[in-house]
Amino acid sequence: MKVINIGICGLGTVGYGSFSVLRNNSKEIARRVGAEVRVSHIGARRLRPGQDIGNVRKSSDVFAVVNDPDVHIVLELMGGTDAAKALVLQAIANGKHVVTANKALIAQHGSEIFAAAATRNVLVAYEASVAGGIPIIKAIREGLAGNRIQWLAGIINGTGNFILTEMREKGRAFAEVLKEAQELGYAEADPTFDIEGIDAAHKLTILAAIAFGIPLQFSKTYTEGISRLTQEDIRYADELGYRIKHLGISRKTPAGIELRVHPTLLAADSIIANVNGVMNAVMVNGDAVGSTLYYGAGAGAGPTASAVVADIIDVARMISHPESGVPSLAFRDDALSDAPILPMSDVVSAYYLRISAADRPGVLADITEILGDRGISIQAIIQKEPRGGDAEHRRVPVIILTREIREAVMDEAIARIEALDAVSERVMRIRVFKLDQ
Ligand code: HSE
C-alpha cells in the first residue's frame, strides 16, 4: 500500500490532537484514502508533558520538516502569522501540499498563499481555520455551491461563547472564566484575539470570501469585543426576552457586503441564542435552500483535529488516486467492511410503555412481575387516576419508562402483558434514544 507522509509543524493543543487522531484512526483513514497516512516528521521545540510521539522523527526547527524530501503534506499548526507565512510559502516552494488551522494567516495572507500554491500546483486546505470541528468551509464551498448566498451569521469564537454562557448561567466573573478557557486550550495565545473579536473577524473574513466570491478583506471587518459587557447587560437582555451572543455577520445588500463582529441581542427562543459553552453555530442562508444551520464544538484539540485530518484525507486522496477522487461510498470499494447490520431484535434501547389496564387490584403487580422476571428494570412509573365509566369497565393508563434492554426481551414482555386478562388494548411502545451516548 502506498504511504503518504505527514510533517507536523507545531505540537501544541491542535498539533498533538491531530497527531493523536491520525494515530488512533489510522486503519479507518487508510480505508478511506486507499493509502497509509502516517506522521513521519514533527517540528516542535519541545514535547509537552504527557506527549508521546513514539519513534517519529522530531526536529526542533520546523523548517527541517518543510525541507524534508520525504514529507508529502505539511501541517502548519504553529499559529501566528509571520513565521507561519514564511513556513507555508517555503513548503509550497518545495512542492508540498499544506493543511493549516491558522485563520489569522488565511484571513491576512491567504491571497498571496493561494497564488503561490497555484503556481506550484499544490493545495492549501484550511477547514480547521473556522468553527473548529464544524465542516463549514466544505458546506459553503461545496454543499451550497448551487446557491446565491444571501447572508451568514454565527457564533464563531468558542472562548467568547464559553465566557458569555458561564457569566449568564453561573454569574461568574469575566476574568475567571477566561482563565479557565485558557487552561482548557480554547483561547488563542493572545486571548485579546478572542474577547475583542479579532479571532471571529479572521474567521468571518474567510467565510464571507467563500460565500460571496470576494477577496479576503480582514482590514475592512468591523470588530467589537465582549470585554465591556457586564452582568447587568446580560440580566437586562434576559428581562427583555433576549440573549447576548458575540456574532459574526456577513450580509449581501444592494449597496455592498456587511462584514461585522459585535455583541448582538438575539431572541431568547432562537436556535443560535441557545448555543452555549464552547459550541459554535453558523447559519447560512442561500436563495435556493433557505436557512441552514451548522453546529458543533468550535475549539479544543479533538474538534479542531477532526477538521485538520479531514483536510489531510482530501489531499491524500488526491495524491493516492488522482483519477478517481472521493469514493462514492466514502471508503475505497476494496475496503468496505462486512460488519453485520443488527436485526431489530438485537437492538438495545430504553422504552416508554403505555398500558391500558382494568381498574382492579393486582394488575400493576402482574405487569411489574412480567418485566422483573425478564430483567427489565423500571426507571419511572405513572398510574393515572381512573376517570368516568363504571368500576368494572374502567381503564387506567399505566405509563412505564424502562431502562435499557434488548428488543427481543421487550417484545416477549409486551406479548405477555397484552395476554393478561386485565389488558385489552395493544401496548403502546416508544423507544428512547439518548443523544449523548
Ligand atoms: N480561540 C479560538 C476559539 C480557537 O475560542 O474559538 C478556535 O479557533
Side-chain angles (χ1 to χ4, degrees), residues 103 128-129 132 156-160 186-188 194 199 203 280 298-299 304:
K103 50 262 163 159
S129 67
I156 45 180
N157 182 268
T159 301
Y186 301 154
E188 295 301 298
D194 296 293
D199 176 78
K203 294 166 179 168
N280 280 194
T304 313

Side-chain angles (χ1 to χ4, degrees), residues 39-228:
V39 177
S40 63
H41 199 162
I42 291 174
R45 244 170 274 151
R46 69 190 79 79
L47 298 184
R48 292 182 184 177
Q51 290 185 338
D52 171 13
I53 59 168
N55 55 9
V56 175
R57 182 178 167 200
K58 181 185 149 329
S59 300
S60 47
D61 177 10
V62 282
F63 279 86
V65 175
V66 164
N67 294 325
D68 179 342
D70 291 335
V71 167
H72 300 107
I73 304 173
V74 169
L75 306 194
E76 184 284 299
L77 302 173
M78 308 183 305
T81 43
D82 294 347
K85 181 181 168 193
L87 182 106
V88 166
L89 290 175
Q90 183 66 47
I92 292 169
N94 289 348
K96 298 186 193 303
H97 304 284
V98 175
V99 171
T100 179
N102 192 330
K103 50 262 163 159
L105 179 70
I106 298 298
Q108 295 181 51
H109 303 293
S111 304
E112 187 183 342
I113 289 168
F114 297 138
T119 63
R120 292 291 310 195
N121 207 17
V122 293
L123 294 170
V124 175
Y126 53 96
E127 180 64 68
S129 67
V130 183
I134 307 174
I136 188 67
I137 304 284
K138 204 174 257 289
I140 295 177
R141 204 165 55 178
E142 298 173 30
L144 300 177
N147 287 263
R148 269 183 295 122
I149 305 291
Q150 327 260 28
W151 56 263
L152 58 89
I155 296 169
I156 45 180
N157 182 268
T159 301
N161 202 39
F162 180 67
I163 292 172
L164 291 180
T165 304
E166 291 287 305
M167 284 176 73
R168 180 180 170 274
E169 292 185 352
K170 301 182 189 155
R172 293 177 67 192
F174 190 100
E176 176 199 325
V177 189
L178 173 60
K179 188 161 170 285
E180 189 183 340
Q182 287 176 288
E183 284 160 11
L184 290 167
Y186 301 154
E188 295 301 298
D190 176 353
T192 58
F193 275 41
D194 296 293
I195 60 183
E196 297 306 343
I198 301 159
D199 176 78
H202 286 141
K203 294 166 179 168
L204 187 69
T205 302
I206 298 169
L207 291 181
I210 61 171
F212 301 116
I214 56 174
L216 295 153
Q217 296 168 82
F218 170 66
S219 62
K220 295 185 185 155
T221 307
Y222 174 79
T223 306
E224 197 181 301
I226 56 171
S227 55
R228 290 185 52 241

Side-chain angles (χ1 to χ4, degrees), residues 155 237 241-245 247 264-270 272-274:
I155 296 169
Y242 290 88
R243 299 271 162 83
I244 301 176
K245 291 290 181 188
L247 281 200
T264 312
L265 287 193
L266 289 168
D269 60 358
S270 62
I272 294 199
N274 291 284

Side-chain angles (χ1 to χ4, degrees), residues 365-377:
D366 289 346
I367 293 171
T368 54
E369 190 182 326
I370 290 171
L371 297 174
D373 284 353
R374 285 160 185 79
I376 302 173
S377 170

Side-chain angles (χ1 to χ4, degrees), residues 315-337:
V315 177
R317 275 177 175 144
M318 207 234 16
I319 297 173
S320 66
H321 296 85
E323 70 300 338
S324 56
V326 181
S328 306
L329 286 176
F331 291 80
R332 305 290 309 169
D333 290 348
D334 57 4
L336 293 182
S337 151

